[in-house]
Amino acid sequence: MKVALLAGGKGTRLAEETSVRPKPMVEIGGRPLLWHIMMHYTQYGHHEFVIALGYLGDYIKKYFADYATLTGNLTIEMEPGKPSVVTRQEELHEPWKIDLVETGMETLTGGRIKRLKDYLGDGTFMLTWGDGLSNVDFDALLAFHRKHGKLATITAVRPPARYGHMKFDGEQVVSFEEKPQTAEGWINGAFFVLEPAVLDYIDGDLVMFEHAPLQRLAADGQLMAYKHTGFWAAVDTLREKQVLHNMWEAGDRPWATWEK
């Protein structure tokens, strides 16, 4: 099954990082957000990715062009007066097939998805943005989608609290969580399972998938929600990036399902 990843936005709210790299390439623990997301899908057996590029798309192309070489073991023979020759490469990287597709600098999320049509095939596909980490059970998400038989499944999540949360014993603080999930309300967690007919709900490049297409799918009774109560976080600000980096450094990595 193909997995579509949107990685073309400008990420202006994270300008401290995105002035030099696309937002999905912001690093947590020395690895881009995009790598973390792809590793999570890989844990559930999904290896074919279609990545929608836009802003600084060359950065992402270069990363994956170098990835196979730089993550494997190489044997290089160097002789005076002769070019160096790679005689052996032990592949230690993931079994990925990746289509990197230019979808325009100003194209919005819906338009980027529609521009991937020729790469997604005629079957069910998965979709997410390039800036959100989670431990969503993709097997359960896919089973839910297949059971209800509608065109679209959206993952609903609890939003992180804006401020830290404290628990008390009298006046003593017994626990502190910097960004816990709230217990109220559901938001779009941006992990989708979609049928190809969903693309017919997108009229062109300047369409936000989160607006008219999802509203029309809901009005037609074709949008179902899979409720995920586990970990979820999006990286929109430098502070949110730092929170996840600190979690990674502390060994608290709930989204790193490949390490389990």
Side-chain angles (χ1 to χ4, degrees), residues 17-31:
E17 292 270 358
T18 57
S19 61
V20 296
R21 72 185 83 189
K23 187 178 178 184
M25 300 306 287
V26 170
E27 293 186 353
I28 303 296
R31 296 283 194 173

Side-chain angles (χ1 to χ4, degrees), residues 22-243:
K23 187 178 178 184
M25 300 306 287
V26 170
E27 293 186 353
I28 303 296
R31 296 283 194 173
L33 288 166
L34 199 56
W35 178 89
H36 289 265
I37 295 167
M38 292 169 68
M39 288 294 289
H40 180 40
Y41 276 104
T42 300
Q43 180 65 18
Y44 286 86
H46 302 290
H47 305 133
E48 294 188 60
F49 299 95
V50 183
I51 302 178
L53 304 179
Y55 175 68
L56 294 179
D58 287 354
Y59 193 110
I60 299 176
K61 288 179 179 177
K62 290 175 182 177
Y63 177 81
F64 286 110
D66 291 339
Y67 186 78
T69 299
L70 298 181
T71 55
N73 296 330
L74 298 179
T75 298
I76 301 175
E77 295 183 2
M78 295 180 289
E79 297 183 30
K82 294 183 179 181
S84 300
V85 178
V86 177
T87 60
R88 182 181 62 177
Q89 177 175 341
E90 296 179 24
E91 296 184 351
L92 301 179
H93 54 80
E94 289 66 42
W96 292 337
K97 178 183 177 183
I98 307 169
D99 289 308
L100 298 159
V101 184
E102 294 287 355
T103 58
M105 284 290 293
E106 305 301 329
T107 309
L108 300 182
T109 53
R112 292 194 193 281
I113 297 166
K114 189 146 190 171
R115 286 200 183 198
L116 299 181
K117 180 178 180 179
D118 291 342
Y119 296 86
L120 293 172
D122 298 324
T124 306
F125 64 95
M126 305 181 89
L127 165 74
T128 194
W129 308 164
D131 62 357
L133 302 181
S134 81
N135 58 0
V136 173
D137 184 331
F138 290 136
D139 287 345
L141 173 62
L142 187 56
F144 174 82
H145 177 81
R146 286 172 169 160
K147 182 177 181 180
H148 65 61
K150 305 294 185 179
L151 292 181
T153 296
I154 185 173
T155 297
V157 299
R158 300 289 194 185
R162 184 177 178 186
Y163 302 105
H165 178 71
M166 292 181 287
K167 291 184 179 180
F168 297 95
D169 180 3
E171 295 181 344
Q172 180 179 342
V173 178
V174 295
S175 70
F176 178 86
E177 297 178 71
E178 186 167 5
K179 295 198 67 154
Q181 305 296 116
T182 66
E184 299 180 1
W186 296 90
I187 63 171
N188 172 13
F191 289 92
F192 299 89
V193 183
L194 304 172
E195 298 302 320
V198 166
L199 300 180
D200 296 334
Y201 284 77
I202 302 170
D203 293 330
D205 281 354
L206 300 182
V207 173
M208 292 285 287
F209 186 63
E210 307 91 304
H211 295 168
L214 288 185
Q215 292 167 0
R216 289 169 57 198
L217 283 163
D220 289 350
Q222 291 294 329
L223 180 63
M224 301 292 285
Y226 173 81
K227 293 182 177 179
H228 171 64
T229 57
F231 177 82
W232 178 88
V235 180
D236 284 323
T237 65
L238 191 60
R239 179 177 181 272
E240 289 169 339
K241 179 239 177 176
Q242 192 60 47
V243 167

